[in-house]
Amino acid sequence: MIAYIIYNWGLSGLENVQVAFRIQKTFKNVSSEPCTFALLREAYKRQGYFPRGGEWLLRDGVAYFQPTICTFRHPRVSNSFMTKCLSKANLSYALTMGDSTAGRYANALRATLTLTTKRLIIEQPKVNGFLPDKDYFTRDMPDEVAEYVTTKFRFCSGCASKLYRTEFYRENRSYLLDIEHLAQTMILDDSLQMTFPTYKRAVGVINKVWAITTQELILRYYLKAKQPDIFLIFLPFVHAKGNIRLSRLPMEIKYFKGLVEEYLPNTTKLFYITSYGEFEKRRKSSKWHKHLFDGMLARDKIDKMNRILYDVLADDLLNRDGRYFGFFDLIDMSEDRGNWSKDSIHMEAVWYQSIMSMFWETYCNSVLLDMF
């Protein structure tokens, strides 16, 4: 076991992260094929689940994961690689959705681009305790529609939506790329709704609901004016593990899936990314140490939730002509990364940047090899 100091550019500044790496001398079982989503789909067919297996390594002071089924050639994707990829894909809007951990992935999705930019605009909604910011979600809605949006308390003070706008150049041509994160605390939550004004009947006062969940309001109304080219979906199993029984989970995933299919065009590529495991020794409060969720530790329940996600999506993930894509099994990938855990739930920036760099390389390999 060899200990290294990685100086990693975190989103809040320079972070020093001490990480222990097992350095593997040979890679007898590692495929030399570049990682693509087509290759991952073939792995799903063989294994019946998101791919597992690989090794965390260090190259040029950068941590990266080397899976066994394919090869990542770039610990961090290069500027030239990304500009060539994004211009060919004509990518202009990337969307992420999820809780505070997904927000960190969104930060990393932007940070790992390594693009030479001339302009970076960040729109951040006002922080208002545990309430979503109504102004952020209604800023492009007509006033006669926006007035019916309501907000409710939600159990996530760190769940904030944000928009990054980046301008980059290739062959003297300018490109704009928006990366937006939209916060949600549950798979289906009601912290944002849209209702008709109340009216009276003999039985009392009735509200007729236009959008009963945050997800419906976002997909049906907020994204109506501008729809994403790619949509990275991080279902908030961190919150859901304590609020949803496993028997109910398939129904909620199917409902969310139905909303996506109804309100987003077929041209939007959908990437479902699993949750990583939690680490009991890193919990800040003894109250939650080895707390059981449906008789299981958090890591075990999240693993089962990931597997239910795969079972619900399996037919779509295996459809080579479809728009559904998965990724690696992050429970497996995070198993020996406990020293990167800040509080059992959130990880150091190096984790999110590593995973999003893997995503960009897999996406761009797929684009440049015409495998979408």
Side-chain angles (χ1 to χ4, degrees):
M1 187 80 72
I2 303 174
Y4 291 86
I5 299 292
I6 294 181
Y7 290 93
N8 181 63
W9 183 256
L11 298 168
S12 60
L14 194 63
E15 296 179 349
N16 295 333
V17 183
Q18 186 170 11
V19 187
F21 287 94
R22 290 174 294 154
I23 304 302
Q24 188 170 311
K25 300 296 183 183
T26 59
F27 302 95
K28 295 180 180 178
N29 298 319
V30 173
S31 170
S32 61
E33 289 190 67
C35 296
T36 64
F37 285 104
L39 185 145
L40 291 181
R41 182 178 287 117
E42 292 304 312
Y44 306 154
K45 290 180 181 179
R46 293 194 308 271
Q47 302 175 17
Y49 192 57
F50 303 112
R52 312 184 81 178
E55 189 82 11
W56 282 98
L57 301 172
L58 189 72
R59 184 192 299 170
D60 300 327
V62 178
Y64 72 103
F65 186 79
Q66 183 59 66
T68 56
I69 66 165
C70 58
T71 296
F72 287 110
R73 292 180 169 82
H74 309 284
R76 290 291 182 270
V77 287
S78 67
N79 183 22
S80 59
F81 180 72
M82 286 305 305
T83 54
K84 182 178 180 181
C85 160
L86 297 180
S87 58
K88 179 175 180 178
N90 197 28
L91 186 67
S92 62
Y93 182 23
L95 177 67
T96 69
M97 185 181 284
D99 55 19
S100 57
T101 60
R104 287 165 167 80
Y105 280 121
N107 293 341
L109 191 69
R110 187 268 307 171
T112 53
L113 279 176
T114 65
L115 295 177
T116 302
T117 64
K118 285 195 173 181
R119 182 175 63 190
L120 178 64
I121 301 171
I122 301 177
E123 281 188 37
Q124 181 88 30
K126 298 186 296 292
V127 176
N128 187 17
F130 290 85
L131 285 175
D133 186 69
K134 177 179 175 178
D135 292 341
Y136 183 87
F137 289 98
T138 60
R139 65 187 187 277
D140 294 326
M141 292 182 183
D143 291 342
E144 62 271 18
V145 175
E147 66 176 308
Y148 300 134
V149 174
T150 60
T151 61
K152 289 184 180 180
F153 179 91
R154 62 186 181 187
F155 289 94
C156 186
S157 61
C159 291
S161 302
K162 63 200 75 174
L163 171 65
Y164 305 104
R165 177 161 295 161
T166 303
E167 185 177 25
F168 65 96
Y169 295 85
R170 175 171 169 78
E171 297 176 350
N172 297 320
R173 180 181 171 186
S174 171
Y175 296 86
L176 287 178
L177 172 62
D178 284 356
I179 298 177
E180 185 168 24
H181 173 68
L182 299 178
Q184 61 172 352
T185 57
M186 299 292 291
I187 301 170
L188 302 175
D189 68 57
D190 60 357
S191 59
L192 279 168
Q193 289 184 327
M194 183 180 292
T195 62
F196 280 118
T198 58
Y199 60 94
K200 293 184 178 180
R201 287 185 176 175
V203 293
V205 177
I206 299 174
N207 276 331
K208 184 175 181 181
V209 178
W210 284 357
I212 196 170
T213 63
T214 302
Q215 290 71 23
E216 184 178 5
L217 186 145
I218 288 172
L219 292 164
R220 184 177 180 182
Y221 294 102
Y222 178 74
L223 295 176
K224 190 173 184 179
K226 184 179 181 183
Q227 297 179 317
D229 301 308
I230 62 174
F231 185 12
L232 282 69
I233 302 164
F234 303 89
L235 292 183
F237 289 165
V238 168
H239 291 266
K241 70 178 185 290
N243 294 279
I244 300 177
R245 292 195 173 275
L246 294 177
S247 59
R248 178 181 170 84
L249 184 61
M251 182 274 291
E252 294 212 359
I253 295 174
K254 289 175 184 177
Y255 182 78
F256 176 81
K257 178 175 179 283
L259 291 175
V260 171
E261 291 178 347
E262 182 173 359
Y263 296 117
L264 292 186
N266 290 332
T267 53
T268 299
K269 291 180 171 60
L270 309 173
F271 300 90
Y272 282 83
I273 299 180
T274 58
S275 296
Y276 54 79
E278 295 183 13
F279 301 89
E280 297 301 324
K281 291 183 179 180
R282 293 287 182 165
R283 296 206 184 278
K284 299 296 185 183
S285 171
S286 59
K287 173 185 175 182
W288 295 104
H289 182 63
K290 294 191 176 180
H291 183 84
L292 298 182
F293 301 89
D294 289 346
M296 294 168 278
L297 292 174
R299 189 180 193 87
D300 296 328
K301 182 166 183 182
I302 291 172
D303 186 32
K304 288 186 179 296
M305 297 175 88
N306 284 341
R307 291 177 182 277
I308 290 172
L309 173 67
Y310 180 86
D311 290 342
V312 172
L313 300 179
D315 289 344
D316 295 293
L317 292 173
L318 296 175
N319 180 3
R320 62 184 302 171
D321 298 319
R323 59 172 176 155
Y324 281 76
F325 304 92
F327 205 48
F328 295 88
D329 175 13
L330 298 192
I331 284 277
D332 176 67
M333 197 181 296
S334 65
E335 187 173 4
D336 63 353
R337 298 296 96 192
N339 52 344
W340 287 357
S341 177
K342 286 185 171 183
D343 54 12
S344 177
I345 294 173
H346 303 102
M347 301 283 266
E348 298 283 359
V350 61
W351 167 267
Y352 303 104
Q353 291 178 359
S354 297
I355 302 304
M356 288 298 93
S357 185
M358 291 170 62
F359 171 81
W360 276 130
E361 185 167 345
T362 306
Y363 174 81
C364 286
N365 284 340
S366 303
V367 169
L368 297 174
L369 294 172
D370 296 316
M371 300 184 77
F372 271 131

